[in-house]
Amino acid sequence: MSIFEYNGSAVVAMVGKNCFAIASDRRLGVQLQTIATDFQRISKIHDRVFIGLSGLATDVQTLYQRLVFRHKLYQLREERDMKPETFASLVSAILYEKRFGPYLCQPVIAGLGEDDKPFICTMDSIGAKELAKDFVVSGTASESLYGACEAMYKPDMEAEELFETISQALLSSVDRDCLSGWGGHVYVVTPTEIKERILKGRMD
Amino acid sequence: MECVFGLVGNGFAIVAADTSAVHSILVHKNNEDKIMLLDSHKLIAASGEPGDRVQFTEYVQKNVSLYQFRNGIPLTTAAAANFTRGELATALRKNPYSVNILMAGYDKEAGASLYYIDYIATLHKVDKGAFGYGSYFSLSTMDRHFRSDMSVEEAIELVDKCIIEIRSRLVIAPPNFVIKIVDKDGARTHAWRQSVQDVTTASV
């Protein structure tokens, strides 16, 4: 079994009309055993940038702490929040620093950039950025997620419709993956508000 | 075959651990206390490589005391758990400790809490947790009977159910267990559950 599949995870982000949604599952497992059903994989960097980290949970926690630290330093020096594109470059650089002993995570970054234009990207565990205009996925359920998102996605959805789409895509994908699931955590971010919702799916 | 498990009740947290010190097929002693008092209101139940277990938990205990001497106030359970995770995470890619930890503590503001920290430094706050082969039995038993805000008597009943399950269903099950509790009055040994007693050795 791959070390990326040790804890189990599923993260997806989608672009809407001047908004974005980022969602993850809630299971923390140790291979076949479930330890917790309320694990947080998505973290807020600031009001307009979120990062979802899939992969090995210990590296998810370490990397999150390092990124918050770097962003706080940036805020002190620049007296402003980081743009999502800049943040993505920072994450990529931090991951590549450990090229020959990497953090075993695949981040999904979602944010609102200049003029409230939504930005999403994902990268592999050594920082290879993959920008997308529609959706990005990562985790043990990524193959199912690709299929579900491709089928359900359409451009320029409003916040409510985007929430429905990303939730259905997430739940149907994690139902086909034994290592992820136990509910979902969805953030829908518009220029004016952040809506956080917990989904109840198949609790197995 | 080391079994450690714990749960949170109404204003208290209970942890139980087996007390066998085993080397290959030989049982060196069966009254080895694997639950260490970190300070007056914290317990650390550890399982894993015996040398690492003792060295690492003592290291954490001394550092927690140092903080208290330097700053005049004790660490909160969350802070101690995060410190422990940090030490495990730093050592992970250099010379890793093979120790799994359940940290139970009581704070005036936060109440009773239990933290699951596995050997690769995954940290999660839980209501019930377990490590080892015994976890397959104790987690399921706790899932069935656990309710939030159990009284001490109910929790001890549940712990006993888990011990009975481990004793009857685990091949080479450890014969003896120690149960420790932490609440507003502090951390202390609650009971031993011994089915094999060695009268010739002294309790260390």
Side-chain angles (χ1 to χ4, degrees), chain B residues 4-54:
Chain B
V4 172
F5 60 95
L7 58 112
V8 173
N10 189 9
F12 68 92
I14 268 188
V15 279
D18 79 287
T19 59
S20 312
V22 169
H23 197 110
S24 169
I25 57 166
L26 175 69
V27 178
H28 281 301
K29 63 194 286 233
N30 48 34
N31 54 6
E32 166 85 357
D33 191 352
K34 296 176 188 170
I35 307 181
M36 180 179 271
L37 255 61
L38 217 54
D39 69 13
S40 62
H41 285 73
K42 285 183 208 38
L43 288 172
I44 192 164
S47 74
E49 193 84 49
D52 282 349
R53 170 170 56 78
V54 173

Short mmCIF file of all heavy atoms in Angstrom, two decimals, chain B residues 4-54:
data_model
loop_
_atom_site.label_atom_id
_atom_site.label_comp_id
_atom_site.label_asym_id
_atom_site.label_seq_id
_atom_site.Cartn_x
_atom_site.Cartn_y
_atom_site.Cartn_z
N VAL B 4 -3.53 -0.20 24.40
CA VAL B 4 -3.75 1.06 25.11
C VAL B 4 -5.06 1.62 24.60
O VAL B 4 -5.28 1.64 23.40
CB VAL B 4 -2.60 2.05 24.82
CG1 VAL B 4 -2.92 3.40 25.39
CG2 VAL B 4 -1.30 1.54 25.37
N PHE B 5 -5.93 2.07 25.50
CA PHE B 5 -7.14 2.72 25.02
C PHE B 5 -7.63 3.71 26.06
O PHE B 5 -7.21 3.67 27.22
CB PHE B 5 -8.23 1.71 24.65
CG PHE B 5 -8.68 0.82 25.78
CD1 PHE B 5 -9.79 1.15 26.53
CD2 PHE B 5 -8.01 -0.36 26.07
CE1 PHE B 5 -10.22 0.34 27.57
CE2 PHE B 5 -8.42 -1.18 27.10
CZ PHE B 5 -9.53 -0.83 27.86
N GLY B 6 -8.49 4.61 25.63
CA GLY B 6 -8.97 5.63 26.56
C GLY B 6 -10.23 6.29 26.05
O GLY B 6 -10.58 6.16 24.88
N LEU B 7 -10.92 6.98 26.96
CA LEU B 7 -12.14 7.70 26.57
C LEU B 7 -12.36 8.88 27.49
O LEU B 7 -11.77 8.98 28.57
CB LEU B 7 -13.35 6.76 26.61
CG LEU B 7 -13.66 6.09 27.94
CD1 LEU B 7 -14.95 6.61 28.52
CD2 LEU B 7 -13.78 4.59 27.74
N VAL B 8 -13.22 9.80 27.02
CA VAL B 8 -13.52 11.01 27.78
C VAL B 8 -14.93 10.90 28.34
O VAL B 8 -15.84 10.48 27.63
CB VAL B 8 -13.42 12.24 26.86
CG1 VAL B 8 -13.88 13.49 27.59
CG2 VAL B 8 -12.00 12.43 26.40
N GLY B 9 -15.09 11.25 29.61
CA GLY B 9 -16.41 11.22 30.23
C GLY B 9 -16.81 12.61 30.70
O GLY B 9 -16.30 13.62 30.21
N ASN B 10 -17.68 12.65 31.68
CA ASN B 10 -18.20 13.92 32.16
C ASN B 10 -17.23 14.58 33.14
O ASN B 10 -17.25 14.29 34.32
CB ASN B 10 -19.56 13.67 32.83
CG ASN B 10 -20.26 14.96 33.15
OD1 ASN B 10 -19.82 16.03 32.72
ND2 ASN B 10 -21.35 14.88 33.89
N GLY B 11 -16.34 15.41 32.61
CA GLY B 11 -15.38 16.09 33.48
C GLY B 11 -14.19 15.22 33.85
O GLY B 11 -13.47 15.54 34.79
N PHE B 12 -13.98 14.14 33.13
CA PHE B 12 -12.81 13.31 33.41
C PHE B 12 -12.41 12.57 32.13
O PHE B 12 -13.18 12.50 31.19
CB PHE B 12 -13.10 12.28 34.51
CG PHE B 12 -14.10 11.23 34.10
CD1 PHE B 12 -13.68 10.03 33.54
CD2 PHE B 12 -15.47 11.45 34.24
CE1 PHE B 12 -14.60 9.07 33.14
CE2 PHE B 12 -16.39 10.50 33.84
CZ PHE B 12 -15.96 9.31 33.29
N ALA B 13 -11.17 12.05 32.14
CA ALA B 13 -10.73 11.20 31.03
C ALA B 13 -10.07 9.98 31.65
O ALA B 13 -9.38 10.08 32.66
CB ALA B 13 -9.75 11.94 30.14
N ILE B 14 -10.33 8.85 31.04
CA ILE B 14 -9.79 7.58 31.55
C ILE B 14 -8.90 6.96 30.49
O ILE B 14 -9.24 6.98 29.31
CB ILE B 14 -10.96 6.61 31.84
CG1 ILE B 14 -11.40 6.77 33.29
CG2 ILE B 14 -10.60 5.17 31.61
CD1 ILE B 14 -12.40 5.76 33.71
N VAL B 15 -7.74 6.44 30.90
CA VAL B 15 -6.93 5.65 29.98
C VAL B 15 -6.58 4.32 30.65
O VAL B 15 -6.38 4.27 31.86
CB VAL B 15 -5.62 6.35 29.55
CG1 VAL B 15 -5.87 7.33 28.45
CG2 VAL B 15 -4.93 7.01 30.70
N ALA B 16 -6.51 3.29 29.83
CA ALA B 16 -6.15 1.97 30.33
C ALA B 16 -5.04 1.42 29.44
O ALA B 16 -5.04 1.66 28.23
CB ALA B 16 -7.35 1.04 30.31
N ALA B 17 -4.10 0.72 30.05
CA ALA B 17 -3.02 0.12 29.27
C ALA B 17 -2.70 -1.24 29.84
O ALA B 17 -2.86 -1.48 31.04
CB ALA B 17 -1.78 1.01 29.31
N ASP B 18 -2.23 -2.11 28.99
CA ASP B 18 -1.80 -3.42 29.50
C ASP B 18 -0.47 -3.22 30.23
O ASP B 18 0.17 -2.18 30.11
CB ASP B 18 -1.65 -4.43 28.35
CG ASP B 18 -0.36 -4.24 27.59
OD1 ASP B 18 -0.26 -3.25 26.84
OD2 ASP B 18 0.57 -5.06 27.76
N THR B 19 -0.07 -4.20 31.03
CA THR B 19 1.13 -3.99 31.84
C THR B 19 2.15 -5.11 31.65
O THR B 19 2.90 -5.46 32.57
CB THR B 19 0.76 -3.90 33.34
OG1 THR B 19 0.08 -5.10 33.72
CG2 THR B 19 -0.13 -2.70 33.61
N SER B 20 2.18 -5.67 30.43
CA SER B 20 3.20 -6.70 30.17
C SER B 20 4.41 -6.08 29.49
O SER B 20 4.26 -5.30 28.55
CB SER B 20 2.66 -7.76 29.21
OG SER B 20 1.41 -8.19 29.61
N ALA B 21 5.59 -6.43 29.97
CA ALA B 21 6.82 -6.05 29.28
C ALA B 21 7.32 -7.31 28.60
O ALA B 21 7.75 -8.27 29.25
CB ALA B 21 7.84 -5.53 30.27
N VAL B 22 7.24 -7.31 27.27
CA VAL B 22 7.49 -8.53 26.50
C VAL B 22 8.71 -8.37 25.62
O VAL B 22 8.94 -7.31 25.04
CB VAL B 22 6.24 -8.82 25.62
CG1 VAL B 22 6.53 -9.91 24.62
CG2 VAL B 22 5.07 -9.19 26.49
N HIS B 23 9.51 -9.43 25.53
CA HIS B 23 10.64 -9.46 24.60
C HIS B 23 10.56 -10.77 23.83
O HIS B 23 10.86 -11.82 24.39
CB HIS B 23 11.96 -9.36 25.38
CG HIS B 23 13.10 -8.98 24.51
ND1 HIS B 23 13.72 -7.76 24.56
CD2 HIS B 23 13.74 -9.66 23.52
CE1 HIS B 23 14.69 -7.69 23.66
NE2 HIS B 23 14.72 -8.85 23.02
N SER B 24 10.13 -10.70 22.60
CA SER B 24 9.94 -11.88 21.75
C SER B 24 8.93 -12.82 22.42
O SER B 24 7.79 -12.46 22.58
CB SER B 24 11.30 -12.53 21.48
OG SER B 24 11.16 -13.78 20.89
N ILE B 25 9.33 -14.00 22.87
CA ILE B 25 8.32 -14.90 23.45
C ILE B 25 8.33 -14.84 24.98
O ILE B 25 7.53 -15.50 25.64
CB ILE B 25 8.55 -16.37 23.02
CG1 ILE B 25 9.95 -16.84 23.41
CG2 ILE B 25 8.33 -16.51 21.52
CD1 ILE B 25 10.12 -18.34 23.32
N LEU B 26 9.22 -14.02 25.53
CA LEU B 26 9.37 -13.99 26.98
C LEU B 26 8.66 -12.77 27.58
O LEU B 26 8.80 -11.66 27.09
CB LEU B 26 10.88 -13.93 27.32
CG LEU B 26 11.24 -13.78 28.79
CD1 LEU B 26 10.88 -15.06 29.54
CD2 LEU B 26 12.71 -13.48 28.94
N VAL B 27 7.94 -13.00 28.68
CA VAL B 27 7.34 -11.88 29.41
C VAL B 27 8.28 -11.54 30.56
O VAL B 27 8.42 -12.30 31.52
CB VAL B 27 5.95 -12.28 29.98
CG1 VAL B 27 5.36 -11.13 30.77
CG2 VAL B 27 5.03 -12.68 28.85
N HIS B 28 8.96 -10.38 30.44
CA HIS B 28 9.90 -10.00 31.48
C HIS B 28 9.19 -9.71 32.79
O HIS B 28 9.59 -10.15 33.85
CB HIS B 28 10.69 -8.75 31.07
CG HIS B 28 11.80 -9.02 30.12
ND1 HIS B 28 12.83 -9.87 30.43
CD2 HIS B 28 12.04 -8.56 28.87
CE1 HIS B 28 13.67 -9.91 29.40
NE2 HIS B 28 13.21 -9.14 28.45
N LYS B 29 8.14 -8.87 32.69
CA LYS B 29 7.35 -8.57 33.89
C LYS B 29 5.93 -8.25 33.47
O LYS B 29 5.67 -7.86 32.34
CB LYS B 29 7.96 -7.44 34.71
CG LYS B 29 8.02 -6.08 34.02
CD LYS B 29 8.93 -5.11 34.76
CE LYS B 29 8.30 -4.59 36.02
NZ LYS B 29 8.26 -3.13 36.12
N ASN B 30 5.00 -8.44 34.39
CA ASN B 30 3.60 -8.15 34.03
C ASN B 30 2.98 -7.07 34.91
O ASN B 30 1.77 -7.05 35.10
CB ASN B 30 2.76 -9.43 34.05
CG ASN B 30 2.99 -10.24 35.30
OD1 ASN B 30 3.22 -9.68 36.37
ND2 ASN B 30 2.94 -11.54 35.17
N ASN B 31 3.84 -6.19 35.47
CA ASN B 31 3.30 -5.04 36.18
C ASN B 31 4.03 -3.77 35.76
O ASN B 31 4.34 -2.92 36.58
CB ASN B 31 3.36 -5.25 37.69
CG ASN B 31 4.76 -5.60 38.16
OD1 ASN B 31 5.71 -5.57 37.38
ND2 ASN B 31 4.90 -5.91 39.42
N GLU B 32 4.32 -3.68 34.45
CA GLU B 32 5.03 -2.52 33.91
C GLU B 32 4.03 -1.40 33.66
O GLU B 32 3.08 -1.56 32.89
CB GLU B 32 5.70 -2.93 32.59
CG GLU B 32 6.20 -1.81 31.72
CD GLU B 32 7.59 -1.34 32.10
OE1 GLU B 32 8.14 -1.85 33.08
OE2 GLU B 32 8.11 -0.45 31.40
N ASP B 33 4.23 -0.27 34.31
CA ASP B 33 3.27 0.83 34.19
C ASP B 33 3.57 1.65 32.94
O ASP B 33 4.58 2.34 32.86
CB ASP B 33 3.38 1.70 35.44
CG ASP B 33 2.26 2.71 35.53
OD1 ASP B 33 1.49 2.83 34.55
OD2 ASP B 33 2.15 3.38 36.56
N LYS B 34 2.67 1.59 31.97
CA LYS B 34 2.91 2.32 30.73
C LYS B 34 2.19 3.65 30.67
O LYS B 34 2.16 4.31 29.63
CB LYS B 34 2.47 1.44 29.54
CG LYS B 34 3.30 0.19 29.44
CD LYS B 34 2.83 -0.72 28.34
CE LYS B 34 3.56 -2.05 28.42
NZ LYS B 34 3.02 -3.08 27.56
N ILE B 35 1.56 4.02 31.76
CA ILE B 35 0.86 5.31 31.78
C ILE B 35 1.62 6.22 32.73
O ILE B 35 1.67 5.99 33.94
CB ILE B 35 -0.60 5.16 32.24
CG1 ILE B 35 -1.30 4.10 31.40
CG2 ILE B 35 -1.32 6.49 32.10
CD1 ILE B 35 -2.76 3.90 31.76
N MET B 36 2.20 7.30 32.16
CA MET B 36 3.05 8.16 32.97
C MET B 36 2.28 9.42 33.36
O MET B 36 1.50 9.93 32.56
CB MET B 36 4.26 8.54 32.14
CG MET B 36 5.24 9.42 32.86
SD MET B 36 6.63 9.79 31.83
CE MET B 36 7.72 8.46 32.19
N LEU B 37 2.53 9.91 34.56
CA LEU B 37 1.94 11.19 34.97
C LEU B 37 2.80 12.30 34.40
O LEU B 37 3.98 12.42 34.74
CB LEU B 37 1.93 11.29 36.51
CG LEU B 37 0.59 11.09 37.20
CD1 LEU B 37 0.04 9.71 36.91
CD2 LEU B 37 0.73 11.29 38.69
N LEU B 38 2.23 13.12 33.54
CA LEU B 38 3.02 14.18 32.93
C LEU B 38 3.16 15.35 33.90
O LEU B 38 4.21 15.93 34.06
CB LEU B 38 2.28 14.64 31.67
CG LEU B 38 3.13 15.01 30.48
CD1 LEU B 38 4.07 13.92 30.12
CD2 LEU B 38 2.24 15.32 29.30
N ASP B 39 2.04 15.74 34.48
CA ASP B 39 2.07 16.65 35.61
C ASP B 39 0.82 16.37 36.43
O ASP B 39 0.21 15.32 36.25
CB ASP B 39 2.21 18.12 35.16
CG ASP B 39 0.98 18.67 34.47
OD1 ASP B 39 -0.10 18.04 34.52
OD2 ASP B 39 1.08 19.74 33.85
N SER B 40 0.42 17.28 37.29
CA SER B 40 -0.67 16.95 38.21
C SER B 40 -1.96 16.60 37.47
O SER B 40 -2.77 15.83 37.98
CB SER B 40 -0.93 18.13 39.14
OG SER B 40 -1.32 19.26 38.37
N HIS B 41 -2.18 17.16 36.28
CA HIS B 41 -3.47 16.96 35.61
C HIS B 41 -3.32 16.42 34.19
O HIS B 41 -4.14 16.69 33.34
CB HIS B 41 -4.26 18.27 35.57
CG HIS B 41 -4.85 18.64 36.89
ND1 HIS B 41 -4.09 19.11 37.92
CD2 HIS B 41 -6.12 18.57 37.35
CE1 HIS B 41 -4.87 19.33 38.97
NE2 HIS B 41 -6.10 19.00 38.65
N LYS B 42 -2.25 15.65 33.96
CA LYS B 42 -2.09 15.08 32.62
C LYS B 42 -1.53 13.67 32.72
O LYS B 42 -0.68 13.39 33.56
CB LYS B 42 -1.10 15.91 31.79
CG LYS B 42 -1.65 17.21 31.27
CD LYS B 42 -0.61 17.88 30.43
CE LYS B 42 -0.75 19.39 30.42
NZ LYS B 42 -1.15 19.98 31.68
N LEU B 43 -2.02 12.84 31.80
CA LEU B 43 -1.52 11.46 31.74
C LEU B 43 -1.05 11.19 30.34
O LEU B 43 -1.67 11.66 29.38
CB LEU B 43 -2.64 10.47 32.05
CG LEU B 43 -3.14 10.36 33.47
CD1 LEU B 43 -4.36 9.46 33.48
CD2 LEU B 43 -2.05 9.76 34.36
N ILE B 44 -0.03 10.39 30.19
CA ILE B 44 0.42 10.01 28.86
C ILE B 44 0.53 8.48 28.83
O ILE B 44 1.32 7.89 29.54
CB ILE B 44 1.74 10.75 28.52
CG1 ILE B 44 2.08 10.62 27.06
CG2 ILE B 44 2.91 10.31 29.34
CD1 ILE B 44 3.12 11.64 26.63
N ALA B 45 -0.34 7.85 28.06
CA ALA B 45 -0.32 6.39 27.93
C ALA B 45 0.38 6.09 26.62
O ALA B 45 -0.05 6.54 25.56
CB ALA B 45 -1.74 5.84 27.91
N ALA B 46 1.47 5.34 26.69
CA ALA B 46 2.28 5.13 25.50
C ALA B 46 2.42 3.65 25.19
O ALA B 46 2.49 2.81 26.09
CB ALA B 46 3.66 5.74 25.71
N SER B 47 2.47 3.34 23.88
CA SER B 47 2.76 1.96 23.50
C SER B 47 3.73 1.99 22.33
O SER B 47 3.75 2.92 21.54
CB SER B 47 1.47 1.23 23.11
OG SER B 47 1.02 1.66 21.86
N GLY B 48 4.54 0.95 22.26
CA GLY B 48 5.51 0.88 21.17
C GLY B 48 6.83 0.31 21.66
O GLY B 48 6.91 -0.31 22.71
N GLU B 49 7.87 0.57 20.89
CA GLU B 49 9.24 0.13 21.21
C GLU B 49 9.56 0.51 22.66
O GLU B 49 9.52 1.68 23.01
CB GLU B 49 10.16 0.89 20.26
CG GLU B 49 11.57 0.44 20.16
CD GLU B 49 11.75 -0.70 19.19
OE1 GLU B 49 11.24 -0.58 18.07
OE2 GLU B 49 12.38 -1.68 19.58
N PRO B 50 9.91 -0.46 23.51
CA PRO B 50 10.07 -0.15 24.95
C PRO B 50 11.07 0.95 25.26
O PRO B 50 10.78 1.84 26.06
CB PRO B 50 10.55 -1.48 25.55
CG PRO B 50 10.09 -2.51 24.60
CD PRO B 50 10.08 -1.90 23.23
N GLY B 51 12.24 0.93 24.61
CA GLY B 51 13.25 1.96 24.89
C GLY B 51 12.74 3.33 24.51
O GLY B 51 12.80 4.28 25.30
N ASP B 52 12.21 3.43 23.29
CA ASP B 52 11.65 4.70 22.81
C ASP B 52 10.53 5.17 23.71
O ASP B 52 10.42 6.36 24.02
CB ASP B 52 11.10 4.54 21.39
CG ASP B 52 12.20 4.55 20.36
OD1 ASP B 52 13.35 4.89 20.71
OD2 ASP B 52 11.92 4.23 19.18
N ARG B 53 9.68 4.24 24.14
CA ARG B 53 8.51 4.61 24.96
C ARG B 53 8.97 5.31 26.21
O ARG B 53 8.52 6.42 26.53
CB ARG B 53 7.69 3.36 25.29
CG ARG B 53 6.60 3.57 26.32
CD ARG B 53 5.68 2.39 26.43
NE ARG B 53 6.33 1.13 26.73
CZ ARG B 53 6.77 0.76 27.93
NH1 ARG B 53 6.60 1.56 28.96
NH2 ARG B 53 7.35 -0.40 28.09
N VAL B 54 9.88 4.70 26.94
CA VAL B 54 10.32 5.29 28.22
C VAL B 54 11.09 6.58 27.98
O VAL B 54 10.84 7.61 28.61
CB VAL B 54 11.18 4.26 28.99
CG1 VAL B 54 11.79 4.89 30.22
CG2 VAL B 54 10.34 3.06 29.38
#
